[in-house]
PDB file of all heavy atoms in Angstrom:
ATOM      1  N   GLY A 137       1.660  16.871 -22.585  1.00 70.00           N
ATOM      2  CA  GLY A 137       2.563  16.927 -23.725  1.00 70.00           C
ATOM      3  C   GLY A 137       4.024  17.093 -23.355  1.00 70.00           C
ATOM      4  O   GLY A 137       4.781  17.767 -24.061  1.00 70.00           O
ATOM      5  N   VAL A 138       4.464  16.482 -22.228  1.00 74.00           N
ATOM      6  CA  VAL A 138       5.859  16.577 -21.821  1.00 74.00           C
ATOM      7  C   VAL A 138       6.689  15.625 -22.671  1.00 74.00           C
ATOM      8  O   VAL A 138       6.412  14.421 -22.725  1.00 74.00           O
ATOM      9  CB  VAL A 138       6.035  16.239 -20.325  1.00 74.00           C
ATOM     10  CG1 VAL A 138       7.494  16.346 -19.917  1.00 74.00           C
ATOM     11  CG2 VAL A 138       5.168  17.160 -19.480  1.00 74.00           C
ATOM     12  N   ALA A 139       7.699  16.151 -23.368  1.00 78.00           N
ATOM     13  CA  ALA A 139       8.532  15.316 -24.236  1.00 78.00           C
ATOM     14  C   ALA A 139       9.373  14.374 -23.399  1.00 78.00           C
ATOM     15  O   ALA A 139       9.983  14.776 -22.404  1.00 78.00           O
ATOM     16  CB  ALA A 139       9.432  16.199 -25.100  1.00 78.00           C
ATOM     17  N   ARG A 140       9.408  13.100 -23.804  1.00 77.00           N
ATOM     18  CA  ARG A 140      10.171  12.113 -23.066  1.00 77.00           C
ATOM     19  C   ARG A 140      11.664  12.445 -23.078  1.00 77.00           C
ATOM     20  O   ARG A 140      12.213  12.853 -24.100  1.00 77.00           O
ATOM     21  CB  ARG A 140       9.934  10.720 -23.649  1.00 77.00           C
ATOM     22  CG  ARG A 140      10.414   9.566 -22.776  1.00 77.00           C
ATOM     23  CD  ARG A 140      10.016   8.241 -23.374  1.00 77.00           C
ATOM     24  NE  ARG A 140       8.584   8.032 -23.289  1.00 77.00           N
ATOM     25  CZ  ARG A 140       7.972   7.397 -22.283  1.00 77.00           C
ATOM     26  NH1 ARG A 140       8.693   6.954 -21.283  1.00 77.00           N
ATOM     27  NH2 ARG A 140       6.670   7.231 -22.287  1.00 77.00           N
ATOM     28  N   CYS A 141      12.303  12.257 -21.919  1.00 79.00           N
ATOM     29  CA  CYS A 141      13.735  12.497 -21.711  1.00 79.00           C
ATOM     30  C   CYS A 141      14.096  13.985 -21.701  1.00 79.00           C
ATOM     31  O   CYS A 141      15.284  14.325 -21.705  1.00 79.00           O
ATOM     32  CB  CYS A 141      14.587  11.773 -22.762  1.00 79.00           C
ATOM     33  SG  CYS A 141      14.546   9.976 -22.564  1.00 79.00           S
ATOM     34  N   SER A 142      13.114  14.868 -21.697  1.00 82.00           N
ATOM     35  CA  SER A 142      13.398  16.291 -21.550  1.00 82.00           C
ATOM     36  C   SER A 142      13.580  16.604 -20.066  1.00 82.00           C
ATOM     37  O   SER A 142      13.327  15.773 -19.189  1.00 82.00           O
ATOM     38  CB  SER A 142      12.261  17.126 -22.130  1.00 82.00           C
ATOM     39  OG  SER A 142      11.062  16.904 -21.399  1.00 82.00           O
ATOM     40  N   ALA A 143      14.011  17.834 -19.769  1.00 85.00           N
ATOM     41  CA  ALA A 143      14.199  18.235 -18.377  1.00 85.00           C
ATOM     42  C   ALA A 143      12.879  18.178 -17.612  1.00 85.00           C
ATOM     43  O   ALA A 143      12.833  17.746 -16.453  1.00 85.00           O
ATOM     44  CB  ALA A 143      14.784  19.642 -18.323  1.00 85.00           C
ATOM     45  N   GLY A 144      11.792  18.614 -18.268  1.00 84.00           N
ATOM     46  CA  GLY A 144      10.485  18.560 -17.624  1.00 84.00           C
ATOM     47  C   GLY A 144      10.034  17.142 -17.353  1.00 84.00           C
ATOM     48  O   GLY A 144       9.416  16.854 -16.320  1.00 84.00           O
ATOM     49  N   PHE A 145      10.370  16.225 -18.274  1.00 85.00           N
ATOM     50  CA  PHE A 145       9.985  14.821 -18.095  1.00 85.00           C
ATOM     51  C   PHE A 145      10.658  14.239 -16.858  1.00 85.00           C
ATOM     52  O   PHE A 145      10.014  13.584 -16.044  1.00 85.00           O
ATOM     53  CB  PHE A 145      10.378  14.007 -19.327  1.00 85.00           C
ATOM     54  CG  PHE A 145      10.225  12.515 -19.142  1.00 85.00           C
ATOM     55  CD1 PHE A 145       8.990  11.916 -19.290  1.00 85.00           C
ATOM     56  CD2 PHE A 145      11.318  11.734 -18.807  1.00 85.00           C
ATOM     57  CE1 PHE A 145       8.844  10.547 -19.114  1.00 85.00           C
ATOM     58  CE2 PHE A 145      11.184  10.369 -18.634  1.00 85.00           C
ATOM     59  CZ  PHE A 145       9.948   9.771 -18.790  1.00 85.00           C
ATOM     60  N   TRP A 146      11.966  14.500 -16.703  1.00 88.00           N
ATOM     61  CA  TRP A 146      12.682  13.933 -15.561  1.00 88.00           C
ATOM     62  C   TRP A 146      12.233  14.584 -14.256  1.00 88.00           C
ATOM     63  O   TRP A 146      12.229  13.930 -13.199  1.00 88.00           O
ATOM     64  CB  TRP A 146      14.181  14.091 -15.751  1.00 88.00           C
ATOM     65  CG  TRP A 146      14.715  13.224 -16.857  1.00 88.00           C
ATOM     66  CD1 TRP A 146      15.316  13.636 -18.002  1.00 88.00           C
ATOM     67  CD2 TRP A 146      14.655  11.793 -16.925  1.00 88.00           C
ATOM     68  NE1 TRP A 146      15.644  12.557 -18.792  1.00 88.00           N
ATOM     69  CE2 TRP A 146      15.250  11.412 -18.153  1.00 88.00           C
ATOM     70  CE3 TRP A 146      14.168  10.805 -16.086  1.00 88.00           C
ATOM     71  CZ2 TRP A 146      15.369  10.092 -18.546  1.00 88.00           C
ATOM     72  CZ3 TRP A 146      14.280   9.477 -16.472  1.00 88.00           C
ATOM     73  CH2 TRP A 146      14.879   9.129 -17.685  1.00 88.00           C
ATOM     74  N   ALA A 147      11.844  15.851 -14.314  1.00 89.00           N
ATOM     75  CA  ALA A 147      11.317  16.500 -13.112  1.00 89.00           C
ATOM     76  C   ALA A 147      10.022  15.828 -12.667  1.00 89.00           C
ATOM     77  O   ALA A 147       9.801  15.580 -11.471  1.00 89.00           O
ATOM     78  CB  ALA A 147      11.090  17.987 -13.372  1.00 89.00           C
ATOM     79  N   VAL A 148       9.154  15.525 -13.645  1.00 87.00           N
ATOM     80  CA  VAL A 148       7.906  14.829 -13.330  1.00 87.00           C
ATOM     81  C   VAL A 148       8.184  13.400 -12.892  1.00 87.00           C
ATOM     82  O   VAL A 148       7.585  12.883 -11.948  1.00 87.00           O
ATOM     83  CB  VAL A 148       6.962  14.843 -14.552  1.00 87.00           C
ATOM     84  CG1 VAL A 148       5.734  13.972 -14.296  1.00 87.00           C
ATOM     85  CG2 VAL A 148       6.536  16.263 -14.879  1.00 87.00           C
ATOM     86  N   PHE A 149       9.121  12.749 -13.580  1.00 87.00           N
ATOM     87  CA  PHE A 149       9.419  11.336 -13.326  1.00 87.00           C
ATOM     88  C   PHE A 149       9.859  11.102 -11.884  1.00 87.00           C
ATOM     89  O   PHE A 149       9.452  10.117 -11.240  1.00 87.00           O
ATOM     90  CB  PHE A 149      10.511  10.866 -14.295  1.00 87.00           C
ATOM     91  CG  PHE A 149      10.789   9.393 -14.227  1.00 87.00           C
ATOM     92  CD1 PHE A 149      10.007   8.495 -14.920  1.00 87.00           C
ATOM     93  CD2 PHE A 149      11.842   8.910 -13.468  1.00 87.00           C
ATOM     94  CE1 PHE A 149      10.261   7.134 -14.860  1.00 87.00           C
ATOM     95  CE2 PHE A 149      12.106   7.550 -13.396  1.00 87.00           C
ATOM     96  CZ  PHE A 149      11.319   6.657 -14.102  1.00 87.00           C
TER      97      PHE A 149
END
Side-chain angles (χ1 to χ4, degrees):
V138 180
R140 194 175 290 267
C141 291
S142 64
F145 171 82
W146 291 118
V148 173
F149 186 83

